[in-house]
């Protein structure tokens, strides 16, 4: 994607954060202890535009260390359906053609996230497979990761384990009968993180992630942000279980291009 498009999406995200009033709700996104830190605000965000703070955004007294615009971890999870600009970008001819080229003939757009990876406090995302969170039968999912700024080792780029998508699915994050989330673990061997390679990319690049590819990112301790927009697509024929965390109400089903 060209620089101008990156800048348009960045400007729109900035506006959305400016309009967001954190006095109403504060929710933190963390991939450590994910079952504990997941709250109602997160669980019902699949059909909304919601804002999640960096875990390290707050002082001990609860005030923000930095301005609001430098404290949000991500916006999720229905930007692609609810915001006109993100909708237009996510459903552009280029993205549609790419989905086709990836073999997703009738792709549905299930989830979007605007990830800030803020300077100084950008949190890590521990090693995972996207199919753990967006599970389909059969596994038929692609993650599109658009770099809206240069992503380097310094500011917390993605890392992935080459060939790791052939090791099978390690776990699923399931909604229990009581409505809580739990990991159902199929393979307890730790990820061979020594095999991780950094995916440093320049602004405008796209990284395509197989649903089973183990990937992660480290904290951003640098003074530079690392904005990215991600979109997850599934095949329309695949079964999308009701135990997945992200659910849509009947009047707002997943849509294609
Ligand atoms: Fe991921």
């Amino acid at each position: 994607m060209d620089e101008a498009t990156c800048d348009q999406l960045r400007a729109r995200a900035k506006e959305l954060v400016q309009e967001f009033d954190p006095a109403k709700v504060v929710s933190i996104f963390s991939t450590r202890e994910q079952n504990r830190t997941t709250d109602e605000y997160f669980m019902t965000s699949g059909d909304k535009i919601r804002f999640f703070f960096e875990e390290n955004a707050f002082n001990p007294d609860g005030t923000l260390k930095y301005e609001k615009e430098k404290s949000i971890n991500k916006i999720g999870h229905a930007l692609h359906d609810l915001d006109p600009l993100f909708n237009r970008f996510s459903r552009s001819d280029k993205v549609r053609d790419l989905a086709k080229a990836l073999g997703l003939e009738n792709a549905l757009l299930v989830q979007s996230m605007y990830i800030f990876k803020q300077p100084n406090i950008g949190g890590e995302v521990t090693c995972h497979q996207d199919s753990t969170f967006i599970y389909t039968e059969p596994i038929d999912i692609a993650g599109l990761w658009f770099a809206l700024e240069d992503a380097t080792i310094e500011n917390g780029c993605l890392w992935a384990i080459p060939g790791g998508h052939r090791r099978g699915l390690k776990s699923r994050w399931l909604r229990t009968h009581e409505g809580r989330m739990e990991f159902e673990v199929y393979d307890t061997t730790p990820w061979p993180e020594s095999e991780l390679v950094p995916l440093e990319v320049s602004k405008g690049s796209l990284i395509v992630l197989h649903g089973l590819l183990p990937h992660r990112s480290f904290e951003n301790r640098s003074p530079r942000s690392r904005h990215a927009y991600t979109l997850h697509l599934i095949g329309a024929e695949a079964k999308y279980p009701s135990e997945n965390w992200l659910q849509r109400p009947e009047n707002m089903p997943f849509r294609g291009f």
Side-chain angles (χ1 to χ4, degrees), residues 125 128-130 209 215 232:
V125 174
H128 67 280
Q129 297 164 307
D130 289 342
L209 296 162
H215 59 284
H232 284 87

Side-chain angles (χ1 to χ4, degrees), residues 117-134:
K117 201 69 141 178
Q118 298 283 5
N120 308 310
I121 55 167
E124 70 172 339
V125 174
T126 54
C127 201
H128 67 280
Q129 297 164 307
D130 289 342
S131 287
T132 291
F133 302 97
I134 304 174

Side-chain angles (χ1 to χ4, degrees), residues 26 28 53-68 71 121:
V26 170
I28 294 166
F53 283 92
E54 294 282 3
E55 195 169 11
N56 293 321
F58 301 93
N59 293 308
D61 66 359
T63 56
L64 285 175
K65 286 183 196 164
Y66 303 99
E67 58 188 315
K68 180 179 66 176
S71 302
I121 55 167

